[in-house]
Amino acid sequence: MSTLRNSVPFGIRFLRFLLGIWTVLLLGLSTLGVAFMAYNAHYAERIFAGVSILGVDVGNLTPEEALTHLRKKLAEDELPFVRLQAGEKSWLVSSRSLGGYLDLDQAVQQAWQ
């Protein structure tokens, strides 16, 4: 008594097996490709999650939203003071008085890239 398994030649069974493996691989790669495209589409106009500027989280925001958020959060923050020393004399000077400033536009552009 022969079974159906024995009636199909080994070569055909092997080709079916390879075809099954090939199909699973193609489906897996297709799924990964679609997931990658969806991820990129979601972040096409947004800063990637987990990015922060001066401790302020700007992830998932557009550059314009991030700039507004940063200006709101950092409006009261003062730039650090600098101690200048020459010999025995020292001066405590604000960074702003030396021309220092926060270039938030540039920071947001770097975070977005």
Side-chain angles (χ1 to χ4, degrees):
M1 175 177 229
S2 69
T3 62
L4 181 60
R5 186 181 242 295
N6 290 337
S7 65
V8 178
F10 175 76
I12 299 295
R13 285 191 315 227
F14 185 69
L15 287 176
R16 285 183 183 166
F17 173 75
L18 288 179
L19 182 61
I21 297 277
W22 180 250
T23 302
V24 169
L25 285 174
L26 281 179
L27 285 173
L29 285 174
S30 297
T31 302
L32 285 174
V34 168
F36 178 74
M37 289 183 347
Y39 184 79
N40 281 335
H42 176 72
Y43 286 107
E45 297 295 323
R46 298 186 173 278
I47 297 170
F48 286 109
V51 175
S52 64
I53 298 173
L54 294 172
V56 178
D57 183 22
V58 293
N60 293 318
L61 299 176
T62 65
E64 294 80 20
E65 292 169 340
L67 196 55
T68 302
H69 185 63
L70 282 169
R71 285 187 177 139
K72 196 181 310 180
K73 289 283 187 183
L74 300 175
E76 298 85 31
D77 286 356
E78 185 64 37
L79 291 175
F81 282 80
V82 177
R83 180 174 305 278
L84 302 174
Q85 187 165 350
E88 297 287 320
K89 294 189 174 198
S90 70
W91 298 268
L92 194 59
V93 183
S94 73
S95 298
R96 199 170 300 280
S97 69
L98 295 174
Y101 65 97
L102 295 175
D103 191 354
L104 296 178
D105 293 314
Q106 180 65 25
V108 167
Q109 285 305 312
Q110 287 181 353
W112 188 49
Q113 294 174 353

